[in-house]
């Protein structure tokens, strides 16, 4: 194992053990925010720690076996111990490869929560309906992964679906899994309104951004224009009768973010500012990607929103990811939340680059 990786794992294990001990303290559980933060670290780290413990156990077994062989006279026992050493050595090689992938091939943003925005592009009502379909697929996938979804903004369309929808996805390594979803998603199917059975092609755009903190992006208040307006909606007892919706414009970049789903102006302003920060951060990421354009990883990483990344062909029950040439005849399963095979293939492509 490389020295730096071993050093990082020793430090990680030390921190992991310290946090495990801290979680056993009775007074810590009164601080729900702190407990949530510590548990998130434990869940994020436990896979690496488990592998590192196995690596240490195999090395200890080899050392013990060599000591016994040095003083042993029984050829049968010596041969058994040598076989054990050989088996453990093979396991160590496998574990080291896994740990190197986990410790090295890691985007600094992979552990962050994500913000996803879906918007209809070409295809009118059919595109808006597919926005709703893809949103539900992400909801089901998030549920399978143990993640939670929190709505930011939704604009329902008259014929079903959404003209646009944005939401947080929170959990462990969310952005690391979902960053590959940025780009143009193309759908081919027969719309319910089509009387002659013709297949129509529509597109929607997806943007996946890491949720960032104030310390990650410095914004001057003088660079912002904040407008308030009355929230839209379907009326009734929940209709908002005050100007609680917020629209913020970042003047230097022209980036505009708005929020109206929160019940207070303060909450909506916080969400809009989070969107502004994430979009500015996304621009920085794209600039860095251009500088490293020769790196194959960029091709399947945080893609440009204008890049056609995937086709969903309903008549053939086929889904194709154009970046890695993956085609599966499992569209029905994917749309039911079974995105694992597609996302795992993209992640493997990164590791093999």
């Amino acid at each position: 194992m490389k020295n730096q990786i071993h050093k990082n794992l020793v430090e990680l294990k030390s921190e992991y053990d310290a946090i495990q001990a801290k979680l056993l303290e009775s007074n810590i559980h009164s601080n729900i925010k702190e407990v949530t933060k510590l548990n998130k670290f434990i869940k994020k780290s436990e896979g690496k720690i488990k592998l590192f413990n196995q690596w240490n156990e195999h090395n200890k077994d080899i050392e013990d076996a060599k000591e016994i062989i040095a003083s042993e006279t029984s050829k049968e026992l010596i041969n058994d111990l040598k076989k054990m050493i050989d088996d453990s050595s093979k396991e160590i090689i496998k574990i080291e490869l896994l740990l190197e992938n986990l410790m090295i091939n890691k985007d600094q943003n992979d552990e962050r929560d994500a913000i996803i925005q879906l918007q209809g592009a070409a295809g009118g009502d059919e595109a808006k309906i597919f926005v709703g379909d893809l949103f539900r697929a992400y909801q089901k996938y998030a549920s399978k992964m143990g993640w939670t979804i929190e709505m930011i903004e939704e604009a329902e369309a008259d014929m079903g679906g959404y003209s646009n929808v944005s939401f947080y996805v929170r959990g462990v390594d969310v952005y690391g899994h979902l960053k590959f979803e940025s780009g143009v998603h193309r759908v081919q199917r027969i719309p319910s309104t089509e009387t002659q059975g013709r297949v129509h092609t529509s597109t929607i755009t997806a943007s996946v951004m890491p949720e960032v903190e104030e310390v990650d992006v410095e914004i001057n208040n003088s660079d912002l224009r904040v407008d308030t307006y009355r929230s839209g909606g379907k009326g009734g007892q929940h209709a908002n009768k005050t100007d609680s919706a917020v629209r913020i414009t970042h003047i230097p970049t022209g980036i505009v973010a708005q929020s109206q789903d929160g019940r207070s102006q303060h909450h909506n302003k916080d969400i809009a500012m989070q969107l502004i920060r994430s979009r500015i951060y996304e621009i920085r990421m794209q600039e860095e990607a251009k500088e490293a354009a020769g790196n194959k990883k960029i091709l399947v990483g945080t893609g440009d929103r204008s890049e056609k990344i995937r086709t969903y062909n309903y008549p053939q029950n086929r889904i194709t990811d154009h970046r890695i040439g993956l085609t599966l005849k499992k569209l029905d399963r994917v749309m039911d939340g079974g995105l694992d095979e597609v996302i795992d293939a993209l992640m493997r492509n990164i590791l093999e680059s």
Side-chain angles (χ1 to χ4, degrees), residues 58-68 85:
H58 283 299
N59 277 287
K60 181 68 166 58
D61 289 343
I62 290 173
E63 287 179 13
D64 292 343
K66 286 180 177 178
E67 284 184 13
I68 295 172
I85 289 173

Side-chain angles (χ1 to χ4, degrees), residues 107-125:
D107 186 309
Q108 62 177 341
N109 297 306
D110 283 356
E111 297 169 358
R112 296 180 188 265
D113 294 336
I115 297 171
I116 299 183
Q117 297 176 305
L118 305 176
Q119 187 167 2
D125 290 334

Side-chain angles (χ1 to χ4, degrees), residues 73 107 112 222 260 281 304 349:
T73 57
D107 186 309
R112 296 180 188 265
S222 59
Q260 67 172 18
Y281 192 79
D304 191 309
N349 185 276

Side-chain angles (χ1 to χ4, degrees), residues 15-265:
E15 186 176 4
Y16 181 90
D17 291 342
I19 288 176
Q20 287 276 44
K22 191 170 185 178
L23 285 169
L24 294 175
E25 297 174 5
S26 58
N27 60 340
I28 188 70
H29 295 283
S30 60
N31 189 337
I32 297 174
K33 189 175 181 179
E34 179 69 7
V35 169
T36 301
K37 179 183 175 182
L38 296 178
N39 278 323
K40 189 173 182 178
F41 174 86
I42 292 294
K43 190 170 183 180
K44 177 185 70 178
S45 306
E46 60 189 1
K48 298 171 191 172
I49 298 301
K50 183 178 180 181
L51 285 170
F52 188 46
N53 286 338
Q54 290 174 0
W55 184 86
N56 283 317
E57 288 168 7
H58 283 299
N59 277 287
K60 181 68 166 58
D61 289 343
I62 290 173
E63 287 179 13
D64 292 343
K66 286 180 177 178
E67 284 184 13
I68 295 172
I69 288 172
S71 59
E72 183 57 50
T73 57
S74 169
K75 289 185 178 180
E76 184 179 355
L77 179 56
I78 289 173
N79 288 334
D80 288 343
L81 289 170
K82 284 182 176 179
K83 184 180 183 305
M84 188 273 289
I85 289 173
D86 185 55
D87 291 341
S88 290
S89 297
K90 290 176 181 176
E91 287 301 313
I92 285 172
I93 291 171
K94 292 179 184 177
I95 292 170
E96 286 181 352
L97 287 172
L98 288 169
L99 283 170
E100 283 188 17
N101 283 334
L102 288 171
M103 299 297 288
I104 295 176
N105 294 296
K106 194 78 172 174
D107 186 309
Q108 62 177 341
N109 297 306
D110 283 356
E111 297 169 358
R112 296 180 188 265
D113 294 336
I115 297 171
I116 299 183
Q117 297 176 305
L118 305 176
Q119 187 167 2
D125 290 334
E126 179 62 15
K128 295 172 185 176
I129 292 171
F130 188 62
V131 168
D133 293 339
L134 191 58
F135 172 49
R136 284 185 287 276
Y138 288 143
Q139 283 181 307
K140 292 177 181 179
Y141 177 64
S143 178
K144 288 181 179 180
M145 295 293 289
W147 300 336
T148 58
I149 282 181
E150 179 184 329
M151 296 303 297
I152 297 174
E153 192 82 13
E154 55 184 314
E156 295 182 4
D158 293 337
M159 298 297 290
Y162 305 88
S163 58
N164 63 75
V165 61
S166 57
F167 50 96
Y168 294 108
V169 187
R170 304 191 187 280
V172 177
D173 286 342
V174 172
Y175 183 73
H177 285 75
L178 295 178
K179 64 184 179 182
F180 308 109
E181 299 302 296
S182 281
V184 175
H185 296 247
R186 181 175 69 174
V187 58
Q188 297 172 323
R189 63 184 177 186
I190 302 170
S192 57
T193 55
E194 172 58 53
T195 58
Q196 299 185 29
R198 291 175 299 185
V199 175
H200 285 223
T201 298
S202 307
T203 59
I204 71 171
T205 59
S207 174
V208 182
M209 300 171 287
E211 184 179 10
V212 297
E213 307 295 333
E214 288 186 43
V215 293
D216 297 311
V217 178
E218 186 176 342
I219 298 176
N220 295 322
N221 288 331
S222 59
D223 290 336
L224 299 175
R225 184 175 71 244
V226 181
D227 300 305
T228 59
Y229 58 99
R230 187 160 298 180
S231 298
K234 296 184 178 180
Q237 61 176 332
H238 298 299
N240 200 317
K241 299 178 176 61
T242 61
D243 293 341
S244 64
V246 176
R247 181 186 299 109
I248 300 178
T249 303
H250 184 248
I251 299 169
T253 61
I255 293 172
V256 178
Q258 60 188 36
S259 176
Q260 67 172 18
D261 279 10
R263 291 299 179 90
S264 73
Q265 187 180 110

